[in-house]
Amino acid sequence: MKYLWTEDTGAGLHFWKLVNQLFFDDALVVESKESNQGLLDALADIDMKEDDKYYIAFDYVVDNQDIRNKYRMLKSIADKAEGKIIILDMICFEYLILVFDKLVAWTGTGKIDKIKIREEVLAAVEDHRINLSKIDDEKTLQYIAGFKRYSTERVMKSLVGEFTQNEKWSVKGVHMGECWYKDCCVSEHPDNLRCGKPEVEDGSEKMRMLMQSEEAHKIILIIIG
């Protein structure tokens, strides 16, 4: 069996289930362990069969000492597992949200400068890290330099928040992404003149359109291979 274990609940868990459904024909058993510590506890009690593989979506943040310690423990466990435990790249699902170009249009964000920064950052990502030498735009460099301790994870989380923080369906909203997979409006303010409207109403088809964009497809296949 192939398993994908995540700390994510809510929108994050739904996200990984949709990745499994749309890209991997439900070949993975997707489970939430609810926290990074939960992931470690589950791996400590693992009863691994010969053909089992475990993909671990660990939400790593470079400037959090506790998370760094837990990651070292996770890496130690994976190193002893002879390739049966695969740590997915240390970019949480906010990065995948950021590549969804249609999401930016549908939310009708008026933050033109942040849209430009998003485009610059995505074009400069190599192996899920931002190659600063590829960025010439001064505002983008200033935005990245504004973080107390630079990390790709913090930049990605911040940019996603810039685009979605005021919507109930958003990453920070009370419904945590339900409109990615349910049949409902992309924005909680459908009459807002800036708010875009998706080409389809069906939640499943809407999510499929987002996840099968060229940018998203490339990133997801890199993450799980």
Side-chain angles (χ1 to χ4, degrees), residues 109-136:
T109 178
K111 300 177 180 178
I112 304 300
D113 58 334
K114 296 304 189 299
I115 293 176
K116 173 67 173 173
I117 290 172
R118 166 192 173 274
E119 292 171 348
E120 291 283 334
V121 166
L122 287 175
V125 167
E126 294 179 349
D127 296 327
H128 299 305
R129 292 294 176 266
I130 301 170
N131 183 348
L132 296 179
S133 67
K134 284 192 167 186
I135 298 177
D136 296 322

Side-chain angles (χ1 to χ4, degrees), residues 46-155:
I46 200 169
D47 181 19
M48 192 181 301
K49 306 297 190 297
E50 183 178 353
D51 295 329
D52 286 350
K53 276 198 173 182
Y54 291 81
Y55 296 93
I56 309 300
F58 187 91
D59 194 354
Y60 182 90
V61 180
V62 71
D63 53 358
N64 184 307
Q65 183 63 48
D66 180 61
I67 296 298
R68 293 207 307 272
N69 290 339
K70 286 184 170 62
Y71 178 75
R72 281 194 287 268
M73 295 171 63
L74 173 62
K75 187 71 165 55
S76 176
I77 294 171
D79 288 344
K80 298 173 183 176
E82 299 180 342
K84 293 183 178 295
I85 296 175
I86 298 96
I87 305 173
L88 301 185
D89 194 278
M90 297 180 297
I91 293 290
C92 49
F93 78 100
E94 282 92 340
Y95 180 84
L96 281 302
I97 298 169
L98 197 62
V99 306
F100 297 155
D101 56 319
K102 288 183 179 294
L103 189 61
V104 175
W106 290 351
T107 56
T109 178
K111 300 177 180 178
I112 304 300
D113 58 334
K114 296 304 189 299
I115 293 176
K116 173 67 173 173
I117 290 172
R118 166 192 173 274
E119 292 171 348
E120 291 283 334
V121 166
L122 287 175
V125 167
E126 294 179 349
D127 296 327
H128 299 305
R129 292 294 176 266
I130 301 170
N131 183 348
L132 296 179
S133 67
K134 284 192 167 186
I135 298 177
D136 296 322
D137 181 66
E138 185 176 344
K139 281 191 175 181
T140 301
L141 292 172
Q142 288 175 348
Y143 182 81
I144 293 173
F147 293 84
K148 185 175 181 180
R149 180 170 179 174
Y150 164 72
S151 76
T152 298
E153 290 79 14
R154 289 298 190 201
V155 173

